[in-house]
Each structure stands twice: as structure tokens, then as C-alpha cells.
Amino acid sequence: HHGLLTSDDLHLHLYAADLARAPDGNWWVVSDRTESPSGAGYTLENRLVSSSMYPDSFRARQVERLAPFFMALRDLLDRLASSRRENGQIVLMSQGPSNPNYFEDAYLSRYLGYMVVEGGDLATRNEHVMLKTLGGLRRVDAILRRVDGIDCDPLELRGDSPLGVAGMVQAVRSGKVSVVNSLGSGLLECPAFLAFLPLLCRELLGEELIIPSVATWWCGGDAERAYVMKHLDELTIRTCYRDLHCEPVVVERLSSKMREPLVQELLERPGDYIAQANIQRST
């Protein structure tokens, strides 16, 4: 986020959590989703189908409506776009039909009333993001981003990405376009933050987390690392960096031969790893 302007001084607009339910009925947050959270479109489609099939059950149980969420999202985007000019252009930026979530992108764009675009449909001119149309280039004022931040600008970010728009970061930096979620918000998906959330919540808000995270230890702390090494059989080891796409390791499933290099890695680079309690999910 360093140096990137936002008209409302807000970088994280949409947040989602992966939840797990314990056999006793309690819930855990397993991971956070702050990059470009998926699920809202699928939820809406599921609700429309379910309410059509079981209308009496929905009425009898007074199920909460989803519309207020989407109205709030649309109001947010309208406010961001209109902060730059009246009747500003809003688009939904998608990875395209090859992505598994493209159904949701297309569904959300129709429901919200925004044009769904890919990186190739956009260009930058004079630090503005522009939409390519048959009638020429049209200025874009707000982007609902469904592309990972690192892929949004091959000029300043991942150079080999075909999904982004060259110059988009500079357009954001200059305050010429708003992006939801802001570029860089994926940092908060780092699993290491889970180890510190209970203390942060108490210090900053004076309260406990409403839904606790799975018990997590960052191996970079001496006391935490000592606990992890003592209770390895009860823990799952994960990397702190989501972009490495490393699978979590359930230590109790490893043979003694496979365990040795893991222990060595934890001792040599402890700050790169977290340990989480093994949890039993309800069925």
C-alpha cells in the first residue's frame, strides 16, 4: 500500500474468512481472505435457487436477506467512482473464462450492473485507466478487482503476467482510479498474523476475538519455537508465505526419516514458518 492513494483512506473493502466447525459446535477461522475474496456470487446464486425450491421454509425461518450486502457494495463503488467525477465508470476486472471463478465474475457483473473486463480490455493514458470500446477509449474511475494484486501491472509488479494493465499502479498512485480491494491487501492473508490476532484485538479494541482463529504459533519467537518443537506430533506446519503454494505438513503423518529435514528447516529458518493445532472438523 506504500504511496498508494485512496479517496476514502480505506484499503480493505471486502473481507472473507475460511471457517471450520468443531464437533462441539464452536467455530474457528482457519484463514483470512483479503486479496480478492470469492464466494459472494456463489452465495447469491445458491440463495436464489434454494429460496425458489423452499420458499415456505425461508419465510418461516425469517432468513436474513443478502440484498443489503450487495447494495452496500454498489454504494461503496458508486461513492469511489463519483469522488473522481460525476457518473464515473465502474468495471469488474476478471481473470477471464479460463479461471474457475469466471462464472462468479460474470454473475456478479450482471447483478451489480457493471461491465466485466479483462486486462486486455484496458489501457492507461496520462495516468488514467481507460476502457477500450468501439467508440474509442473511455475513462475508468473504479475497479472491482478479481485479479491478484501481483498480476495487475506487468510494468511494476509481476512482469510475465498477462492478466494486468501496464501503468495501473501509477494510475492508483496518482489518485486517478480506485481499486477494490486496494493493491497489496493480500498481505493480510499471511498466516503468521493469526498468531498475533488475539493480542492485537485485546490491545486495540479491548475485547476478545468474536470467532477465534485456530491456535497458531509463529516459529520465529523463542518461546513459541520451543513449544512447537516439544509438541510436533500435535501440530501442522505451514509456510508464512501464501504465494509459495506449499502444502501444509501434518507432522504426525511423517516417518522419522521425513521428519528430520523438517526439524532442521524449522531450526535454520524459523521465521518462515508457523505451526497450527491439528483440528477435528465436524461432519
Side-chain angles (χ1 to χ4, degrees):
H1 297 312
H2 181 68
L4 298 185
L5 300 176
T6 58
S7 60
D8 55 357
D9 198 28
L10 181 66
H11 293 274
L12 186 64
H13 306 88
L14 295 172
Y15 165 80
D18 289 335
L19 301 177
R21 186 175 183 270
D24 62 4
N26 292 318
W27 292 87
W28 293 297
V29 173
V30 178
S31 59
D32 300 297
R33 294 287 177 255
T34 59
E35 180 71 80
S36 52
S38 298
Y42 292 110
T43 301
L44 179 61
E45 171 71 355
N46 181 283
R47 173 62 61 85
L48 293 175
V49 173
S50 300
S51 60
S52 297
M53 294 176 64
Y54 310 108
D56 294 337
S57 297
F58 270 77
R59 283 194 295 269
R61 287 161 179 77
Q62 298 181 341
V63 178
E64 292 285 346
R65 298 175 66 244
L66 298 177
F69 167 82
F70 293 101
M71 292 171 61
L73 175 59
R74 191 154 47 192
D75 289 345
L76 165 70
L77 289 161
D78 287 344
R79 187 169 66 252
L80 292 174
S82 62
S83 68
R84 284 165 173 77
R85 59 176 181 146
E86 190 175 355
N87 298 321
Q89 175 78 46
I90 304 168
V91 298
L92 186 151
M93 185 178 177
S94 169
Q95 296 187 43
S98 62
N99 186 267
N101 290 327
Y102 185 71
F103 160 81
E104 182 177 37
D105 295 346
Y107 193 83
L108 279 177
S109 70
R110 288 196 299 269
Y111 183 81
L112 294 171
Y114 305 140
M115 185 179 300
V116 60
V117 302
E118 300 173 39
D121 300 317
L122 302 173
T124 56
R125 297 289 188 275
N126 299 320
E127 298 185 341
H128 289 284
V129 175
M130 311 296 288
L131 174 65
K132 301 173 185 176
T133 73
L134 293 177
L137 297 177
R138 291 170 52 189
R139 177 177 160 183
V140 173
D141 301 281
I143 300 173
L144 177 56
R145 176 173 66 86
R146 304 278 292 172
V147 177
D148 286 350
I150 194 66
D151 291 317
C152 281
D153 186 344
L155 189 63
E156 295 201 44
L157 302 172
R158 181 178 290 161
D160 60 351
S161 172
L163 304 174
V165 187
M168 181 172 172
V169 171
Q170 182 57 33
V172 175
R173 187 182 291 123
S174 302
K176 303 294 179 60
V177 68
S178 293
V179 178
V180 175
N181 277 334
S182 182
L183 299 175
S185 58
L187 172 68
L188 296 176
E189 294 187 3
C190 173
F193 286 128
L194 295 175
F196 303 99
L197 287 181
L199 179 59
L200 284 171
C201 192
R202 287 193 292 269
E203 288 292 321
L204 298 177
L205 303 178
E207 59 187 52
E208 299 296 325
L209 292 169
I210 296 175
I211 303 179
S213 304
V214 174
T216 304
W217 295 266
W218 178 57
C219 298
D222 293 339
E224 291 81 359
R225 184 170 60 258
Y227 177 90
V228 169
M229 302 306 288
K230 186 177 180 180
H231 298 84
L232 273 176
D233 284 335
E234 305 166 18
L235 303 172
T236 296
I237 306 300
R238 301 174 184 270
T239 177
C240 290
Y241 310 108
R242 284 191 64 249
D243 56 349
L244 294 182
H245 303 294
C246 297
E247 291 296 321
V249 178
V250 182
V251 181
E252 66 178 355
R253 299 176 185 172
L254 298 179
S255 64
S256 57
K257 185 177 181 180
M258 296 173 65
R259 188 175 304 198
E260 290 177 6
L262 174 64
V263 171
Q264 189 65 28
E265 182 77 2
L266 289 176
L267 293 174
E268 291 179 356
R269 298 193 298 141
D272 291 349
Y273 295 94
I274 62 163
Q276 290 185 317
N278 295 333
I279 60 174
Q280 179 183 359
R281 293 173 170 83
S282 63
T283 56

